[in-house]
């Protein structure tokens, strides 16, 4: 009697190696994320310990957990801890905003600073300070949100809206950024009082961090982080093109709106607190993709951890190279990011040839 042959080995056994390979990749990514968290802890400790006055780790530890009122304890608790915490949350905001914007525009060169979002926030804050007399950080935040949102829409429209492509968006963002920073500089030159208040803020600095600053911006950044992480899956689909995203069930309009809201929250709060800091959102996603691949479910958590490593590391470098003064972190990140941007542009151009 004839019997059916058993299912061929091609339908069963390969699933196990594939599952094992996927589990192995997840394990490697999880281990890498744990190492990134460890690096962040070390950089945070360095940020607290290193400055115009170097503190040994024993004094740092004492200042963190025992408040005796000594000079070292006050320096740790009231100056360096708020500065470090602000750098931590602002770095996460900028890294996530860059990764979301690159996925949204399908442009590997997209970055909030390059597409005018930071410039829009800066211009709005400068206008509020100079013409409306706004002096509180709470006021800065709302004006920064408005400026970031308006410029995001303007760049999208100038870039061709639905027909926008990466090159047109980058050109529109560069033009808008140049115009807005020209406006910011002109306002400061015409108003000496504004110049005194804003000369450090406009280059990007963590030096003015206080507990109040952290307390006012962290809810906005936390909401932006939550939104960004929640849309990782539909953004993955969106990166493959509109037709593919629709076929996979992604809601395109809702995903784009939520992504822009997340970027506006993240960049608006970060810019209001520290001024416009560029290139963090450009460099970190590219670094992360070499570790995680294109999956945004991993890119976003990695970016949220590694971006503050870069920002706080740049801040520490700025404090060391110009002792007893310091170099603003925005200048350090610009010096680091310029060559990286040129390299990415050249690599993209060579890939198109």
């Amino acid at each position: 009697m004839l019997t059916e042959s058993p299912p061929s080995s091609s339908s069963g056994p390969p699933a196990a190696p594939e599952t094992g390979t996927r589990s192995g990749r997840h394990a490697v990514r999880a281990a890498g994320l744990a190492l990134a968290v460890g690096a962040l802890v070390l950089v945070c400790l360095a940020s607290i310990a290193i400055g115009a006055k170097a503190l040994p780790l024993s004094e740092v530890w004492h200042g963190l957990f025992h408040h005796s009122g000594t000079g070292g304890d006050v320096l740790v608790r009231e100056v360096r801890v708020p500065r470090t915490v602000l750098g931590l949350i602002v770095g996460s905001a900028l890294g996530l905003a860059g990764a979301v914007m690159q996925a949204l525009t399908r442009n590997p060169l997209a970055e909030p600073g390059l597409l005018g979002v930071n410039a829009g926030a800066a211009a709005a804050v400068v206008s509020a300070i100079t013409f409306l007399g706004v002096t509180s950080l709470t006021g800065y935040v709302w004006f920064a949100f408005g400026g970031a949102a308006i410029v995001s829409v303007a760049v999208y429209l100038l870039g061709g809206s639905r027909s926008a492509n990466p090159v047109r968006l980058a050109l529109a963002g560069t033009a808008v950024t140049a115009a807005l920073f020209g406006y910011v500089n002109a306002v400061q030159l015409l108003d000496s009082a504004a110049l005194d208040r804003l000369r450090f803020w406009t280059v990007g600095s963590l030096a003015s961090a206080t507990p109040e600053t952290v307390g006012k911006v962290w809810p906005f950044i936390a909401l932006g982080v939550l939104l960004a992480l929640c849309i990782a899956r539909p953004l993955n689909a969106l990166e493959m093109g509109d037709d593919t995203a629709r076929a996979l069930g992604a809601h395109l309009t809702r995903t784009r709106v939520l992504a822009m809201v997340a970027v506006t929250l993240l960049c608006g709060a970060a810019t209001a607190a520290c001024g416009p800091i560029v290139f963090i959102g450009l460099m970190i996603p590219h670094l992360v993709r070499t570790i995680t691949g294109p999956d945004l479910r991993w890119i976003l958590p990695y970016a949220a951890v590694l971006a503050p490593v870069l920002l706080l590391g740049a801040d520490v470098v700025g404090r060391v190279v110009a002792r007893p003064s310091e170099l603003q972190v925005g200048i350090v990140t610009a010096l680091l990011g310029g060559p990286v941007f040129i390299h990415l542009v050249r690599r993209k151009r060579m890939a198109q040839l």
Side-chain angles (χ1 to χ4, degrees):
M1 182 174 63
L2 295 177
T3 59
E4 291 184 348
S5 59
S8 64
S9 60
S10 60
S11 61
E18 183 179 350
T19 302
T21 302
R22 187 181 299 112
S23 300
R25 286 198 300 266
H26 287 327
V28 170
R29 289 167 177 168
L33 188 58
L35 289 175
V37 172
L40 180 58
V41 171
L42 293 177
V43 172
C44 287
L45 290 175
S47 177
I48 297 172
I50 298 173
K53 177 183 178 182
L55 295 176
L57 288 180
S58 59
E59 287 192 33
V60 172
W61 184 265
H62 189 276
L64 288 173
F65 299 104
H66 306 88
H67 187 51
S68 61
T70 62
D73 290 353
V74 172
L75 180 62
V76 168
R77 282 177 172 261
E78 298 184 9
V79 178
R80 294 191 181 173
V81 168
R83 182 170 183 161
T84 300
V85 173
L86 186 64
L88 176 64
I89 61 176
V90 166
S92 294
L94 295 175
L96 280 171
V100 169
M101 188 163 281
Q102 289 176 16
L104 182 65
T105 61
R106 297 195 290 273
N107 181 0
L109 301 181
E111 193 261 350
L114 296 176
L115 293 188
V117 178
N118 286 349
V125 171
V126 168
S127 299
I129 292 172
T130 304
F131 301 117
L132 301 178
V134 177
T135 58
S136 69
L137 181 64
T138 304
Y140 292 177
V141 169
W142 292 113
F143 277 95
F145 287 155
I150 291 170
V151 169
S152 298
V153 174
V155 168
Y156 183 66
L157 294 175
L158 289 172
S161 61
R162 290 184 179 274
S163 62
N165 59 52
V167 174
R168 294 178 67 178
L169 285 172
L171 290 174
T174 301
V176 171
T177 298
L180 288 176
F181 277 125
Y183 164 77
V184 169
N185 292 331
V187 169
Q188 291 182 86
L189 290 175
L190 293 173
D191 186 344
S192 59
L195 175 61
D196 290 337
R197 291 195 299 269
L198 297 170
R199 56 185 176 147
F200 293 113
W201 182 85
T202 53
V203 296
S205 174
L206 298 174
S208 59
T210 64
E212 290 75 19
T213 305
V214 175
K216 288 178 179 178
V217 300
W218 81 260
F220 301 103
I221 292 178
L223 181 57
V225 169
L226 182 62
L227 275 177
L229 295 177
C230 287
I231 60 175
R233 188 181 295 274
L235 277 177
N236 269 339
L238 201 63
E239 277 197 300
M240 293 185 285
D242 289 0
D243 293 337
T244 303
R246 288 192 191 94
L248 293 174
H251 193 294
L252 303 188
T253 301
R254 182 174 60 196
T255 301
R256 289 192 174 107
V257 169
L258 290 176
M260 289 310 301
V261 170
V263 169
T264 300
L265 285 169
L266 294 169
C267 292
T271 304
C274 302
I277 298 175
V278 297
F279 288 121
I280 296 288
L282 174 69
M283 292 186 285
I284 290 299
H286 283 278
L287 171 64
V288 168
R289 286 190 193 94
T290 64
I291 304 171
T292 66
D295 190 348
L296 281 161
R297 292 173 297 178
W298 286 99
I299 289 175
L300 295 180
Y302 264 88
V305 173
L306 289 179
V309 171
L310 175 59
L311 183 62
L312 288 172
D315 189 44
V316 171
V317 170
R319 289 185 241 171
V320 171
V321 297
R323 278 179 175 171
S325 184
E326 67 178 62
L327 198 62
Q328 279 69 40
V329 67
I331 298 174
V332 179
T333 58
L335 291 174
L336 293 173
V340 173
F341 179 62
I342 294 172
H343 167 70
L344 293 174
V345 170
R346 287 178 58 87
R347 188 176 69 179
K348 184 174 178 61
R349 182 179 176 185
M350 291 299 295
Q352 293 174 344
L353 294 178

